[in-house]
Amino acid sequence: MLKKTITYTDYDGNERTEDFYFNLNKAEVMEMEMGTTGGMTKMLERIVAEQDSRRIIEVFKEMIVRSYGVKSPDGKRFMKSPELADAFTQTEAYSNLFMELATNHEAAAAFINGIIPQTAEAAAAAAAVPAANPYLTPVS
């Protein structure tokens, strides 16, 4: 699980700093891997090799949306729903996170590594997108 502290300005002009949580469990990673023709890892390697920046950006958005959730107060559940994900994407916090991942390959790698279980397959998938993407350049 990744806890990401994001500072943003809301639509009333107020600066806010909040913690947001992102996670993909083993079952979700397996679904993504098995639900993609040839596997998610191979698909990521292919779009990076092809320098398909449009598809890479789509994958970042999908990873953010699929991994966003809210921890239950007792810590037993990590609650996700289309409504929660949709609400998050309507904030400037989402916009700030998306722009960070799209422009900073180190932040993108850290995000991917933070949201997936650290198995060999998951680590390979995480490394595939940011490491070789020439369109992701560090923000100075």
Side-chain angles (χ1 to χ4, degrees), residues 60 64 96-105 107-108 111 136:
F60 278 137
I64 293 169
N96 289 357
L97 175 61
F98 183 86
M99 292 305 297
E100 178 184 16
L101 300 184
T103 60
N104 182 327
H105 70 278
F111 181 83
L136 297 179

Side-chain angles (χ1 to χ4, degrees), residues 30-63:
M30 180 63 79
E31 283 179 27
M32 292 171 71
E33 184 69 20
M34 300 303 286
T36 304
T37 304
M40 183 78 165
T41 304
K42 293 293 183 196
M43 183 270 299
L44 292 173
E45 290 171 355
R46 186 179 67 251
I47 65 174
V48 168
E50 294 171 357
Q51 299 182 2
D52 186 347
S53 59
R54 181 191 59 79
R55 184 68 180 114
I56 291 168
I57 295 300
E58 289 173 359
V59 169
F60 278 137
K61 181 175 182 177
E62 179 183 1
M63 297 298 275

Side-chain angles (χ1 to χ4, degrees), residues 14-86:
N14 302 310
E15 186 173 286
R16 298 174 174 264
T17 299
E18 297 180 37
D19 292 333
F20 297 92
Y21 294 90
F22 305 87
N23 188 61
L24 294 173
N25 63 38
K26 291 175 189 174
E28 291 168 322
V29 171
M30 180 63 79
E31 283 179 27
M32 292 171 71
E33 184 69 20
M34 300 303 286
T36 304
T37 304
M40 183 78 165
T41 304
K42 293 293 183 196
M43 183 270 299
L44 292 173
E45 290 171 355
R46 186 179 67 251
I47 65 174
V48 168
E50 294 171 357
Q51 299 182 2
D52 186 347
S53 59
R54 181 191 59 79
R55 184 68 180 114
I56 291 168
I57 295 300
E58 289 173 359
V59 169
F60 278 137
K61 181 175 182 177
E62 179 183 1
M63 297 298 275
I64 293 169
V65 170
R66 286 184 81 147
S67 66
Y68 176 75
V70 178
K71 288 192 323 180
S72 65
D74 63 7
K76 291 182 179 180
R77 297 184 304 143
F78 188 64
M79 301 173 287
K80 296 181 187 180
S81 71
E83 295 79 17
L84 286 172
D86 193 42

